[in-house]
Amino acid sequence: MAEVTVFVDDVVLGRLPPLCVKEGVPTGDHLTVRDASGGPGFGAAWLLVLLGPIGWIVLLYLSLAGGGGVTGRLPFSEFAYRRLVVAQRMQNVWIVAAIVVGLLALLGLAIHSRASEAAAIALGVATVGAVIKVALQTRQVRRAEVQLVLDASRRWVTIRGVHPDFAAAVADRPTESSDV
């Protein structure tokens, strides 16, 4: 995947070539994407759920502290959008599975019998497997999405994870200064 840097107004107003940023195919569809650099990313923040109430409070704070990033409209084909949604849903399913199986393992340890301890060990192993699957699914989500990174001057946005054809189309288009 490639990356391309464009003027912030082009991203905010959706003035980009009509090629899907992920597939490089012509599209008239757009997806609204928010810059994650304005605040902390939530890539591994789901781990805070495992810390109990303290982690939940930190997660709530991080979600509310969002920050002042940029939101833009990017050309995004329906196929690329569906792939992104499926990856996000599968990530959520595995997160819930890891939490539920982990809680069942803890419950098995709380009940003091040989059978429940054996079940707790098996559920603990299943929890580790589910957490590994969450990490793999998070990687799939990152591949299916694009990242906007606003520079320090707040005038330029780097779009990461774009198709090389989209990057070439952005590089080939005339700039506003050459139109004059």
Side-chain angles (χ1 to χ4, degrees), residues 43-44 46-47 87 90-95 98 127-143:
W46 58 268
L47 289 172
M90 289 305 298
Q91 180 186 34
N92 291 338
V93 165
W94 283 105
I95 288 170
T127 301
V128 170
V131 168
I132 291 170
K133 186 61 180 173
V134 168
L136 294 173
Q137 200 60 45
T138 299
R139 188 171 163 193
Q140 287 294 98
V141 170
R142 293 236 171 123
R143 281 188 194 153

mmCIF file with all atom_site columns, all heavy atoms in Angstrom, residues 43-44 46-47 87 90-95 98 127-143:
data_model
loop_
_atom_site.group_PDB
_atom_site.id
_atom_site.type_symbol
_atom_site.label_atom_id
_atom_site.label_alt_id
_atom_site.label_comp_id
_atom_site.label_asym_id
_atom_site.label_entity_id
_atom_site.label_seq_id
_atom_site.pdbx_PDB_ins_code
_atom_site.Cartn_x
_atom_site.Cartn_y
_atom_site.Cartn_z
_atom_site.occupancy
_atom_site.B_iso_or_equiv
_atom_site.pdbx_formal_charge
_atom_site.auth_seq_id
_atom_site.auth_comp_id
_atom_site.auth_asym_id
_atom_site.auth_atom_id
_atom_site.pdbx_PDB_model_num
ATOM 1   N N   . GLY A 1 43  ? -6.288  1.176   18.769 1.00 0.00 ? 43  GLY A N   1
ATOM 2   C CA  . GLY A 1 43  ? -5.842  -0.097  18.231 1.00 0.00 ? 43  GLY A CA  1
ATOM 3   C C   . GLY A 1 43  ? -5.781  -1.195  19.275 1.00 0.00 ? 43  GLY A C   1
ATOM 4   O O   . GLY A 1 43  ? -6.290  -2.276  19.093 1.00 0.00 ? 43  GLY A O   1
ATOM 5   N N   . ALA A 1 44  ? -5.149  -0.937  20.390 1.00 0.00 ? 44  ALA A N   1
ATOM 6   C CA  . ALA A 1 44  ? -5.024  -1.937  21.445 1.00 0.00 ? 44  ALA A CA  1
ATOM 7   C C   . ALA A 1 44  ? -5.785  -1.524  22.697 1.00 0.00 ? 44  ALA A C   1
ATOM 8   O O   . ALA A 1 44  ? -5.644  -2.145  23.746 1.00 0.00 ? 44  ALA A O   1
ATOM 9   C CB  . ALA A 1 44  ? -3.557  -2.158  21.778 1.00 0.00 ? 44  ALA A CB  1
ATOM 10  N N   . TRP A 1 46  ? -8.743  -1.985  23.441 1.00 0.00 ? 46  TRP A N   1
ATOM 11  C CA  . TRP A 1 46  ? -9.667  -3.011  23.901 1.00 0.00 ? 46  TRP A CA  1
ATOM 12  C C   . TRP A 1 46  ? -9.080  -3.801  25.065 1.00 0.00 ? 46  TRP A C   1
ATOM 13  O O   . TRP A 1 46  ? -9.813  -4.397  25.843 1.00 0.00 ? 46  TRP A O   1
ATOM 14  C CB  . TRP A 1 46  ? -10.043 -3.941  22.742 1.00 0.00 ? 46  TRP A CB  1
ATOM 15  C CG  . TRP A 1 46  ? -8.878  -4.602  22.110 1.00 0.00 ? 46  TRP A CG  1
ATOM 16  C CD1 . TRP A 1 46  ? -8.158  -4.177  21.047 1.00 0.00 ? 46  TRP A CD1 1
ATOM 17  C CD2 . TRP A 1 46  ? -8.261  -5.831  22.532 1.00 0.00 ? 46  TRP A CD2 1
ATOM 18  N NE1 . TRP A 1 46  ? -7.134  -5.033  20.765 1.00 0.00 ? 46  TRP A NE1 1
ATOM 19  C CE2 . TRP A 1 46  ? -7.177  -6.074  21.671 1.00 0.00 ? 46  TRP A CE2 1
ATOM 20  C CE3 . TRP A 1 46  ? -8.524  -6.742  23.547 1.00 0.00 ? 46  TRP A CE3 1
ATOM 21  C CZ2 . TRP A 1 46  ? -6.359  -7.188  21.785 1.00 0.00 ? 46  TRP A CZ2 1
ATOM 22  C CZ3 . TRP A 1 46  ? -7.701  -7.850  23.651 1.00 0.00 ? 46  TRP A CZ3 1
ATOM 23  C CH2 . TRP A 1 46  ? -6.637  -8.057  22.782 1.00 0.00 ? 46  TRP A CH2 1
ATOM 24  N N   . LEU A 1 47  ? -7.753  -3.797  25.198 1.00 0.00 ? 47  LEU A N   1
ATOM 25  C CA  . LEU A 1 47  ? -7.126  -4.483  26.328 1.00 0.00 ? 47  LEU A CA  1
ATOM 26  C C   . LEU A 1 47  ? -7.532  -3.850  27.659 1.00 0.00 ? 47  LEU A C   1
ATOM 27  O O   . LEU A 1 47  ? -7.534  -4.506  28.691 1.00 0.00 ? 47  LEU A O   1
ATOM 28  C CB  . LEU A 1 47  ? -5.605  -4.459  26.197 1.00 0.00 ? 47  LEU A CB  1
ATOM 29  C CG  . LEU A 1 47  ? -5.019  -5.338  25.102 1.00 0.00 ? 47  LEU A CG  1
ATOM 30  C CD1 . LEU A 1 47  ? -3.540  -5.073  24.940 1.00 0.00 ? 47  LEU A CD1 1
ATOM 31  C CD2 . LEU A 1 47  ? -5.276  -6.796  25.404 1.00 0.00 ? 47  LEU A CD2 1
ATOM 32  N N   . ALA A 1 87  ? -14.506 -6.964  8.455  1.00 0.00 ? 87  ALA A N   1
ATOM 33  C CA  . ALA A 1 87  ? -13.328 -7.080  9.318  1.00 0.00 ? 87  ALA A CA  1
ATOM 34  C C   . ALA A 1 87  ? -13.598 -6.478  10.695 1.00 0.00 ? 87  ALA A C   1
ATOM 35  O O   . ALA A 1 87  ? -13.226 -7.062  11.726 1.00 0.00 ? 87  ALA A O   1
ATOM 36  C CB  . ALA A 1 87  ? -12.120 -6.396  8.670  1.00 0.00 ? 87  ALA A CB  1
ATOM 37  N N   . MET A 1 90  ? -16.006 -8.846  12.634 1.00 0.00 ? 90  MET A N   1
ATOM 38  C CA  . MET A 1 90  ? -15.313 -10.042 13.119 1.00 0.00 ? 90  MET A CA  1
ATOM 39  C C   . MET A 1 90  ? -14.399 -9.699  14.291 1.00 0.00 ? 90  MET A C   1
ATOM 40  O O   . MET A 1 90  ? -14.279 -10.473 15.242 1.00 0.00 ? 90  MET A O   1
ATOM 41  C CB  . MET A 1 90  ? -14.511 -10.699 11.988 1.00 0.00 ? 90  MET A CB  1
ATOM 42  C CG  . MET A 1 90  ? -15.383 -11.367 10.939 1.00 0.00 ? 90  MET A CG  1
ATOM 43  S SD  . MET A 1 90  ? -16.539 -12.570 11.639 1.00 0.00 ? 90  MET A SD  1
ATOM 44  C CE  . MET A 1 90  ? -15.433 -13.735 12.360 1.00 0.00 ? 90  MET A CE  1
ATOM 45  N N   . GLN A 1 91  ? -13.778 -8.529  14.241 1.00 0.00 ? 91  GLN A N   1
ATOM 46  C CA  . GLN A 1 91  ? -12.950 -8.085  15.363 1.00 0.00 ? 91  GLN A CA  1
ATOM 47  C C   . GLN A 1 91  ? -13.809 -7.965  16.622 1.00 0.00 ? 91  GLN A C   1
ATOM 48  O O   . GLN A 1 91  ? -13.421 -8.435  17.695 1.00 0.00 ? 91  GLN A O   1
ATOM 49  C CB  . GLN A 1 91  ? -12.294 -6.748  15.031 1.00 0.00 ? 91  GLN A CB  1
ATOM 50  C CG  . GLN A 1 91  ? -11.429 -6.218  16.151 1.00 0.00 ? 91  GLN A CG  1
ATOM 51  C CD  . GLN A 1 91  ? -10.918 -4.817  15.846 1.00 0.00 ? 91  GLN A CD  1
ATOM 52  O OE1 . GLN A 1 91  ? -11.597 -4.022  15.230 1.00 0.00 ? 91  GLN A OE1 1
ATOM 53  N NE2 . GLN A 1 91  ? -9.710  -4.533  16.298 1.00 0.00 ? 91  GLN A NE2 1
ATOM 54  N N   . ASN A 1 92  ? -14.987 -7.369  16.495 1.00 0.00 ? 92  ASN A N   1
ATOM 55  C CA  . ASN A 1 92  ? -15.884 -7.215  17.642 1.00 0.00 ? 92  ASN A CA  1
ATOM 56  C C   . ASN A 1 92  ? -16.346 -8.566  18.178 1.00 0.00 ? 92  ASN A C   1
ATOM 57  O O   . ASN A 1 92  ? -16.431 -8.764  19.393 1.00 0.00 ? 92  ASN A O   1
ATOM 58  C CB  . ASN A 1 92  ? -17.085 -6.351  17.273 1.00 0.00 ? 92  ASN A CB  1
ATOM 59  C CG  . ASN A 1 92  ? -16.706 -4.910  17.034 1.00 0.00 ? 92  ASN A CG  1
ATOM 60  O OD1 . ASN A 1 92  ? -15.674 -4.443  17.501 1.00 0.00 ? 92  ASN A OD1 1
ATOM 61  N ND2 . ASN A 1 92  ? -17.532 -4.200  16.295 1.00 0.00 ? 92  ASN A ND2 1
ATOM 62  N N   . VAL A 1 93  ? -16.637 -9.500  17.276 1.00 0.00 ? 93  VAL A N   1
ATOM 63  C CA  . VAL A 1 93  ? -17.059 -10.842 17.702 1.00 0.00 ? 93  VAL A CA  1
ATOM 64  C C   . VAL A 1 93  ? -15.959 -11.505 18.515 1.00 0.00 ? 93  VAL A C   1
ATOM 65  O O   . VAL A 1 93  ? -16.217 -12.085 19.582 1.00 0.00 ? 93  VAL A O   1
ATOM 66  C CB  . VAL A 1 93  ? -17.432 -11.708 16.472 1.00 0.00 ? 93  VAL A CB  1
ATOM 67  C CG1 . VAL A 1 93  ? -17.517 -13.179 16.835 1.00 0.00 ? 93  VAL A CG1 1
ATOM 68  C CG2 . VAL A 1 93  ? -18.738 -11.231 15.867 1.00 0.00 ? 93  VAL A CG2 1
ATOM 69  N N   . TRP A 1 94  ? -14.723 -11.403 18.065 1.00 0.00 ? 94  TRP A N   1
ATOM 70  C CA  . TRP A 1 94  ? -13.616 -12.041 18.777 1.00 0.00 ? 94  TRP A CA  1
ATOM 71  C C   . TRP A 1 94  ? -13.308 -11.335 20.093 1.00 0.00 ? 94  TRP A C   1
ATOM 72  O O   . TRP A 1 94  ? -12.894 -11.985 21.060 1.00 0.00 ? 94  TRP A O   1
ATOM 73  C CB  . TRP A 1 94  ? -12.385 -12.156 17.897 1.00 0.00 ? 94  TRP A CB  1
ATOM 74  C CG  . TRP A 1 94  ? -12.522 -13.277 16.916 1.00 0.00 ? 94  TRP A CG  1
ATOM 75  C CD1 . TRP A 1 94  ? -12.782 -13.188 15.585 1.00 0.00 ? 94  TRP A CD1 1
ATOM 76  C CD2 . TRP A 1 94  ? -12.475 -14.672 17.225 1.00 0.00 ? 94  TRP A CD2 1
ATOM 77  N NE1 . TRP A 1 94  ? -12.883 -14.449 15.035 1.00 0.00 ? 94  TRP A NE1 1
ATOM 78  C CE2 . TRP A 1 94  ? -12.695 -15.372 16.019 1.00 0.00 ? 94  TRP A CE2 1
ATOM 79  C CE3 . TRP A 1 94  ? -12.263 -15.399 18.388 1.00 0.00 ? 94  TRP A CE3 1
ATOM 80  C CZ2 . TRP A 1 94  ? -12.704 -16.757 15.954 1.00 0.00 ? 94  TRP A CZ2 1
ATOM 81  C CZ3 . TRP A 1 94  ? -12.273 -16.788 18.321 1.00 0.00 ? 94  TRP A CZ3 1
ATOM 82  C CH2 . TRP A 1 94  ? -12.494 -17.447 17.119 1.00 0.00 ? 94  TRP A CH2 1
ATOM 83  N N   . ILE A 1 95  ? -13.516 -10.038 20.154 1.00 0.00 ? 95  ILE A N   1
ATOM 84  C CA  . ILE A 1 95  ? -13.332 -9.327  21.422 1.00 0.00 ? 95  ILE A CA  1
ATOM 85  C C   . ILE A 1 95  ? -14.337 -9.825  22.446 1.00 0.00 ? 95  ILE A C   1
ATOM 86  O O   . ILE A 1 95  ? -13.990 -10.133 23.595 1.00 0.00 ? 95  ILE A O   1
ATOM 87  C CB  . ILE A 1 95  ? -13.452 -7.798  21.220 1.00 0.00 ? 95  ILE A CB  1
ATOM 88  C CG1 . ILE A 1 95  ? -12.230 -7.265  20.476 1.00 0.00 ? 95  ILE A CG1 1
ATOM 89  C CG2 . ILE A 1 95  ? -13.601 -7.076  22.559 1.00 0.00 ? 95  ILE A CG2 1
ATOM 90  C CD1 . ILE A 1 95  ? -12.359 -5.819  20.022 1.00 0.00 ? 95  ILE A CD1 1
ATOM 91  N N   . ALA A 1 98  ? -13.468 -13.345 23.546 1.00 0.00 ? 98  ALA A N   1
ATOM 92  C CA  . ALA A 1 98  ? -12.339 -13.368 24.489 1.00 0.00 ? 98  ALA A CA  1
ATOM 93  C C   . ALA A 1 98  ? -12.794 -12.962 25.880 1.00 0.00 ? 98  ALA A C   1
ATOM 94  O O   . ALA A 1 98  ? -12.395 -13.579 26.880 1.00 0.00 ? 98  ALA A O   1
ATOM 95  C CB  . ALA A 1 98  ? -11.214 -12.451 24.002 1.00 0.00 ? 98  ALA A CB  1
ATOM 96  N N   . THR A 1 127 ? -9.197  -18.659 25.917 1.00 0.00 ? 127 THR A N   1
ATOM 97  C CA  . THR A 1 127 ? -9.112  -17.204 26.026 1.00 0.00 ? 127 THR A CA  1
ATOM 98  C C   . THR A 1 127 ? -7.855  -16.695 25.341 1.00 0.00 ? 127 THR A C   1
ATOM 99  O O   . THR A 1 127 ? -7.897  -15.700 24.602 1.00 0.00 ? 127 THR A O   1
ATOM 100 C CB  . THR A 1 127 ? -9.122  -16.768 27.504 1.00 0.00 ? 127 THR A CB  1
ATOM 101 O OG1 . THR A 1 127 ? -10.318 -17.237 28.120 1.00 0.00 ? 127 THR A OG1 1
ATOM 102 C CG2 . THR A 1 127 ? -9.036  -15.259 27.618 1.00 0.00 ? 127 THR A CG2 1
ATOM 103 N N   . VAL A 1 128 ? -6.744  -17.361 25.568 1.00 0.00 ? 128 VAL A N   1
ATOM 104 C CA  . VAL A 1 128 ? -5.492  -16.965 24.910 1.00 0.00 ? 128 VAL A CA  1
ATOM 105 C C   . VAL A 1 128 ? -5.648  -17.064 23.391 1.00 0.00 ? 128 VAL A C   1
ATOM 106 O O   . VAL A 1 128 ? -5.229  -16.161 22.650 1.00 0.00 ? 128 VAL A O   1
ATOM 107 C CB  . VAL A 1 128 ? -4.306  -17.813 25.418 1.00 0.00 ? 128 VAL A CB  1
ATOM 108 C CG1 . VAL A 1 128 ? -3.064  -17.585 24.574 1.00 0.00 ? 128 VAL A CG1 1
ATOM 109 C CG2 . VAL A 1 128 ? -4.039  -17.518 26.876 1.00 0.00 ? 128 VAL A CG2 1
ATOM 110 N N   . GLY A 1 129 ? -6.271  -18.130 22.937 1.00 0.00 ? 129 GLY A N   1
ATOM 111 C CA  . GLY A 1 129 ? -6.518  -18.283 21.500 1.00 0.00 ? 129 GLY A CA  1
ATOM 112 C C   . GLY A 1 129 ? -7.406  -17.172 20.958 1.00 0.00 ? 129 GLY A C   1
ATOM 113 O O   . GLY A 1 129 ? -7.155  -16.636 19.873 1.00 0.00 ? 129 GLY A O   1
ATOM 114 N N   . ALA A 1 130 ? -8.439  -16.799 21.711 1.00 0.00 ? 130 ALA A N   1
ATOM 115 C CA  . ALA A 1 130 ? -9.333  -15.725 21.273 1.00 0.00 ? 130 ALA A CA  1
ATOM 116 C C   . ALA A 1 130 ? -8.609  -14.385 21.251 1.00 0.00 ? 130 ALA A C   1
ATOM 117 O O   . ALA A 1 130 ? -8.826  -13.568 20.349 1.00 0.00 ? 130 ALA A O   1
ATOM 118 C CB  . ALA A 1 130 ? -10.566 -15.664 22.174 1.00 0.00 ? 130 ALA A CB  1
ATOM 119 N N   . VAL A 1 131 ? -7.734  -14.143 22.203 1.00 0.00 ? 131 VAL A N   1
ATOM 120 C CA  . VAL A 1 131 ? -6.969  -12.887 22.225 1.00 0.00 ? 131 VAL A CA  1
ATOM 121 C C   . VAL A 1 131 ? -6.017  -12.838 21.027 1.00 0.00 ? 131 VAL A C   1
ATOM 122 O O   . VAL A 1 131 ? -5.854  -11.783 20.388 1.00 0.00 ? 131 VAL A O   1
ATOM 123 C CB  . VAL A 1 131 ? -6.206  -12.732 23.560 1.00 0.00 ? 131 VAL A CB  1
ATOM 124 C CG1 . VAL A 1 131 ? -5.197  -11.611 23.494 1.00 0.00 ? 131 VAL A CG1 1
ATOM 125 C CG2 . VAL A 1 131 ? -7.191  -12.495 24.694 1.00 0.00 ? 131 VAL A CG2 1
ATOM 126 N N   . ILE A 1 132 ? -5.416  -13.963 20.685 1.00 0.00 ? 132 ILE A N   1
ATOM 127 C CA  . ILE A 1 132 ? -4.554  -14.009 19.495 1.00 0.00 ? 132 ILE A CA  1
ATOM 128 C C   . ILE A 1 132 ? -5.377  -13.725 18.243 1.00 0.00 ? 132 ILE A C   1
ATOM 129 O O   . ILE A 1 132 ? -4.956  -12.974 17.357 1.00 0.00 ? 132 ILE A O   1
ATOM 130 C CB  . ILE A 1 132 ? -3.828  -15.368 19.403 1.00 0.00 ? 132 ILE A CB  1
ATOM 131 C CG1 . ILE A 1 132 ? -2.794  -15.475 20.522 1.00 0.00 ? 132 ILE A CG1 1
ATOM 132 C CG2 . ILE A 1 132 ? -3.187  -15.564 18.033 1.00 0.00 ? 132 ILE A CG2 1
ATOM 133 C CD1 . ILE A 1 132 ? -2.184  -16.850 20.682 1.00 0.00 ? 132 ILE A CD1 1
ATOM 134 N N   . LYS A 1 133 ? -6.571  -14.296 18.179 1.00 0.00 ? 133 LYS A N   1
ATOM 135 C CA  . LYS A 1 133 ? -7.452  -14.054 17.030 1.00 0.00 ? 133 LYS A CA  1
ATOM 136 C C   . LYS A 1 133 ? -7.862  -12.578 16.964 1.00 0.00 ? 133 LYS A C   1
ATOM 137 O O   . LYS A 1 133 ? -7.967  -12.014 15.876 1.00 0.00 ? 133 LYS A O   1
ATOM 138 C CB  . LYS A 1 133 ? -8.685  -14.965 17.111 1.00 0.00 ? 133 LYS A CB  1
ATOM 139 C CG  . LYS A 1 133 ? -9.558  -14.880 15.906 1.00 0.00 ? 133 LYS A CG  1
ATOM 140 C CD  . LYS A 1 133 ? -8.851  -15.293 14.630 1.00 0.00 ? 133 LYS A CD  1
ATOM 141 C CE  . LYS A 1 133 ? -9.815  -15.186 13.458 1.00 0.00 ? 133 LYS A CE  1
ATOM 142 N NZ  . LYS A 1 133 ? -9.189  -15.394 12.188 1.00 0.00 ? 133 LYS A NZ  1
ATOM 143 N N   . VAL A 1 134 ? -8.074  -11.943 18.105 1.00 0.00 ? 134 VAL A N   1
ATOM 144 C CA  . VAL A 1 134 ? -8.385  -10.505 18.122 1.00 0.00 ? 134 VAL A CA  1
ATOM 145 C C   . VAL A 1 134 ? -7.217  -9.716  17.523 1.00 0.00 ? 134 VAL A C   1
ATOM 146 O O   . VAL A 1 134 ? -7.423  -8.799  16.722 1.00 0.00 ? 134 VAL A O   1
ATOM 147 C CB  . VAL A 1 134 ? -8.702  -10.012 19.557 1.00 0.00 ? 134 VAL A CB  1
ATOM 148 C CG1 . VAL A 1 134 ? -8.729  -8.501  19.626 1.00 0.00 ? 134 VAL A CG1 1
ATOM 149 C CG2 . VAL A 1 134 ? -10.024 -10.576 20.031 1.00 0.00 ? 134 VAL A CG2 1
ATOM 150 N N   . ALA A 1 135 ? -6.005  -10.073 17.903 1.00 0.00 ? 135 ALA A N   1
ATOM 151 C CA  . ALA A 1 135 ? -4.834  -9.373  17.372 1.00 0.00 ? 135 ALA A CA  1
ATOM 152 C C   . ALA A 1 135 ? -4.730  -9.556  15.853 1.00 0.00 ? 135 ALA A C   1
ATOM 153 O O   . ALA A 1 135 ? -4.450  -8.599  15.123 1.00 0.00 ? 135 ALA A O   1
ATOM 154 C CB  . ALA A 1 135 ? -3.566  -9.876  18.053 1.00 0.00 ? 135 ALA A CB  1
ATOM 155 N N   . LEU A 1 136 ? -4.979  -10.758 15.373 1.00 0.00 ? 136 LEU A N   1
ATOM 156 C CA  . LEU A 1 136 ? -4.943  -11.008 13.931 1.00 0.00 ? 136 LEU A CA  1
ATOM 157 C C   . LEU A 1 136 ? -6.058  -10.252 13.212 1.00 0.00 ? 136 LEU A C   1
ATOM 158 O O   . LEU A 1 136 ? -5.854  -9.707  12.126 1.00 0.00 ? 136 LEU A O   1
ATOM 159 C CB  . LEU A 1 136 ? -5.039  -12.509 13.651 1.00 0.00 ? 136 LEU A CB  1
ATOM 160 C CG  . LEU A 1 136 ? -3.862  -13.354 14.114 1.00 0.00 ? 136 LEU A CG  1
ATOM 161 C CD1 . LEU A 1 136 ? -4.165  -14.835 13.926 1.00 0.00 ? 136 LEU A CD1 1
ATOM 162 C CD2 . LEU A 1 136 ? -2.605  -12.954 13.367 1.00 0.00 ? 136 LEU A CD2 1
ATOM 163 N N   . GLN A 1 137 ? -7.229  -10.213 13.829 1.00 0.00 ? 137 GLN A N   1
ATOM 164 C CA  . GLN A 1 137 ? -8.357  -9.511  13.216 1.00 0.00 ? 137 GLN A CA  1
ATOM 165 C C   . GLN A 1 137 ? -8.128  -8.003  13.220 1.00 0.00 ? 137 GLN A C   1
ATOM 166 O O   . GLN A 1 137 ? -8.520  -7.315  12.291 1.00 0.00 ? 137 GLN A O   1
ATOM 167 C CB  . GLN A 1 137 ? -9.661  -9.858  13.945 1.00 0.00 ? 137 GLN A CB  1
ATOM 168 C CG  . GLN A 1 137 ? -10.879 -9.593  13.129 1.00 0.00 ? 137 GLN A CG  1
ATOM 169 C CD  . GLN A 1 137 ? -10.904 -10.390 11.829 1.00 0.00 ? 137 GLN A CD  1
ATOM 170 O OE1 . GLN A 1 137 ? -10.614 -11.589 11.801 1.00 0.00 ? 137 GLN A OE1 1
ATOM 171 N NE2 . GLN A 1 137 ? -11.236 -9.724  10.747 1.00 0.00 ? 137 GLN A NE2 1
ATOM 172 N N   . THR A 1 138 ? -7.453  -7.487  14.243 1.00 0.00 ? 138 THR A N   1
ATOM 173 C CA  . THR A 1 138 ? -7.104  -6.067  14.286 1.00 0.00 ? 138 THR A CA  1
ATOM 174 C C   . THR A 1 138 ? -6.184  -5.728  13.121 1.00 0.00 ? 138 THR A C   1
ATOM 175 O O   . THR A 1 138 ? -6.310  -4.671  12.496 1.00 0.00 ? 138 THR A O   1
ATOM 176 C CB  . THR A 1 138 ? -6.438  -5.717  15.627 1.00 0.00 ? 138 THR A CB  1
ATOM 177 O OG1 . THR A 1 138 ? -7.360  -6.000  16.679 1.00 0.00 ? 138 THR A OG1 1
ATOM 178 C CG2 . THR A 1 138 ? -6.029  -4.259  15.693 1.00 0.00 ? 138 THR A CG2 1
ATOM 179 N N   . ARG A 1 139 ? -5.302  -6.630  12.811 1.00 0.00 ? 139 ARG A N   1
ATOM 180 C CA  . ARG A 1 139 ? -4.414  -6.440  11.652 1.00 0.00 ? 139 ARG A CA  1
ATOM 181 C C   . ARG A 1 139 ? -5.216  -6.401  10.356 1.00 0.00 ? 139 ARG A C   1
ATOM 182 O O   . ARG A 1 139 ? -4.933  -5.593  9.463  1.00 0.00 ? 139 ARG A O   1
ATOM 183 C CB  . ARG A 1 139 ? -3.393  -7.565  11.630 1.00 0.00 ? 139 ARG A CB  1
ATOM 184 C CG  . ARG A 1 139 ? -2.329  -7.400  10.629 1.00 0.00 ? 139 ARG A CG  1
ATOM 185 C CD  . ARG A 1 139 ? -1.265  -8.455  10.834 1.00 0.00 ? 139 ARG A CD  1
ATOM 186 N NE  . ARG A 1 139 ? -0.463  -8.545  9.635  1.00 0.00 ? 139 ARG A NE  1
ATOM 187 C CZ  . ARG A 1 139 ? 0.375   -9.505  9.394  1.00 0.00 ? 139 ARG A CZ  1
ATOM 188 N NH1 . ARG A 1 139 ? 0.544   -10.471 10.264 1.00 0.00 ? 139 ARG A NH1 1
ATOM 189 N NH2 . ARG A 1 139 ? 1.056   -9.528  8.289  1.00 0.00 ? 139 ARG A NH2 1
ATOM 190 N N   . GLN A 1 140 ? -6.238  -7.250  10.238 1.00 0.00 ? 140 GLN A N   1
ATOM 191 C CA  . GLN A 1 140 ? -7.105  -7.243  9.059  1.00 0.00 ? 140 GLN A CA  1
ATOM 192 C C   . GLN A 1 140 ? -7.852  -5.917  8.937  1.00 0.00 ? 140 GLN A C   1
ATOM 193 O O   . GLN A 1 140 ? -8.010  -5.386  7.840  1.00 0.00 ? 140 GLN A O   1
ATOM 194 C CB  . GLN A 1 140 ? -8.103  -8.400  9.122  1.00 0.00 ? 140 GLN A CB  1
ATOM 195 C CG  . GLN A 1 140 ? -7.496  -9.752  8.879  1.00 0.00 ? 140 GLN A CG  1
ATOM 196 C CD  . GLN A 1 140 ? -6.981  -9.876  7.469  1.00 0.00 ? 140 GLN A CD  1
ATOM 197 O OE1 . GLN A 1 140 ? -5.788  -9.697  7.224  1.00 0.00 ? 140 GLN A OE1 1
ATOM 198 N NE2 . GLN A 1 140 ? -7.840  -10.167 6.536  1.00 0.00 ? 140 GLN A NE2 1
ATOM 199 N N   . VAL A 1 141 ? -8.321  -5.396  10.067 1.00 0.00 ? 141 VAL A N   1
ATOM 200 C CA  . VAL A 1 141 ? -9.028  -4.107  10.054 1.00 0.00 ? 141 VAL A CA  1
ATOM 201 C C   . VAL A 1 141 ? -8.084  -3.015  9.583  1.00 0.00 ? 141 VAL A C   1
ATOM 202 O O   . VAL A 1 141 ? -8.445  -2.169  8.757  1.00 0.00 ? 141 VAL A O   1
ATOM 203 C CB  . VAL A 1 141 ? -9.616  -3.776  11.447 1.00 0.00 ? 141 VAL A CB  1
ATOM 204 C CG1 . VAL A 1 141 ? -10.120 -2.345  11.510 1.00 0.00 ? 141 VAL A CG1 1
ATOM 205 C CG2 . VAL A 1 141 ? -10.732 -4.742  11.798 1.00 0.00 ? 141 VAL A CG2 1
ATOM 206 N N   . ARG A 1 142 ? -6.871  -3.016  10.084 1.00 0.00 ? 142 ARG A N   1
ATOM 207 C CA  . ARG A 1 142 ? -5.890  -1.985  9.674  1.00 0.00 ? 142 ARG A CA  1
ATOM 208 C C   . ARG A 1 142 ? -5.592  -2.059  8.185  1.00 0.00 ? 142 ARG A C   1
ATOM 209 O O   . ARG A 1 142 ? -5.363  -1.036  7.547  1.00 0.00 ? 142 ARG A O   1
ATOM 210 C CB  . ARG A 1 142 ? -4.612  -2.150  10.476 1.00 0.00 ? 142 ARG A CB  1
ATOM 211 C CG  . ARG A 1 142 ? -4.827  -1.831  11.919 1.00 0.00 ? 142 ARG A CG  1
ATOM 212 C CD  . ARG A 1 142 ? -3.883  -0.770  12.397 1.00 0.00 ? 142 ARG A CD  1
ATOM 213 N NE  . ARG A 1 142 ? -4.275  -0.341  13.727 1.00 0.00 ? 142 ARG A NE  1
ATOM 214 C CZ  . ARG A 1 142 ? -3.490  -0.387  14.763 1.00 0.00 ? 142 ARG A CZ  1
ATOM 215 N NH1 . ARG A 1 142 ? -2.262  -0.828  14.641 1.00 0.00 ? 142 ARG A NH1 1
ATOM 216 N NH2 . ARG A 1 142 ? -3.915  0.026   15.931 1.00 0.00 ? 142 ARG A NH2 1
ATOM 217 N N   . ARG A 1 143 ? -5.567  -3.263  7.629  1.00 0.00 ? 143 ARG A N   1
ATOM 218 C CA  . ARG A 1 143 ? -5.343  -3.398  6.189  1.00 0.00 ? 143 ARG A CA  1
ATOM 219 C C   . ARG A 1 143 ? -6.525  -2.876  5.385  1.00 0.00 ? 143 ARG A C   1
ATOM 220 O O   . ARG A 1 143 ? -6.344  -2.390  4.271  1.00 0.00 ? 143 ARG A O   1
ATOM 221 C CB  . ARG A 1 143 ? -5.122  -4.861  5.820  1.00 0.00 ? 143 ARG A CB  1
ATOM 222 C CG  . ARG A 1 143 ? -3.759  -5.354  6.110  1.00 0.00 ? 143 ARG A CG  1
ATOM 223 C CD  . ARG A 1 143 ? -3.597  -6.745  5.531  1.00 0.00 ? 143 ARG A CD  1
ATOM 224 N NE  . ARG A 1 143 ? -2.416  -7.380  6.068  1.00 0.00 ? 143 ARG A NE  1
ATOM 225 C CZ  . ARG A 1 143 ? -2.259  -8.676  6.192  1.00 0.00 ? 143 ARG A CZ  1
ATOM 226 N NH1 . ARG A 1 143 ? -3.220  -9.485  5.813  1.00 0.00 ? 143 ARG A NH1 1
ATOM 227 N NH2 . ARG A 1 143 ? -1.153  -9.166  6.685  1.00 0.00 ? 143 ARG A NH2 1
#
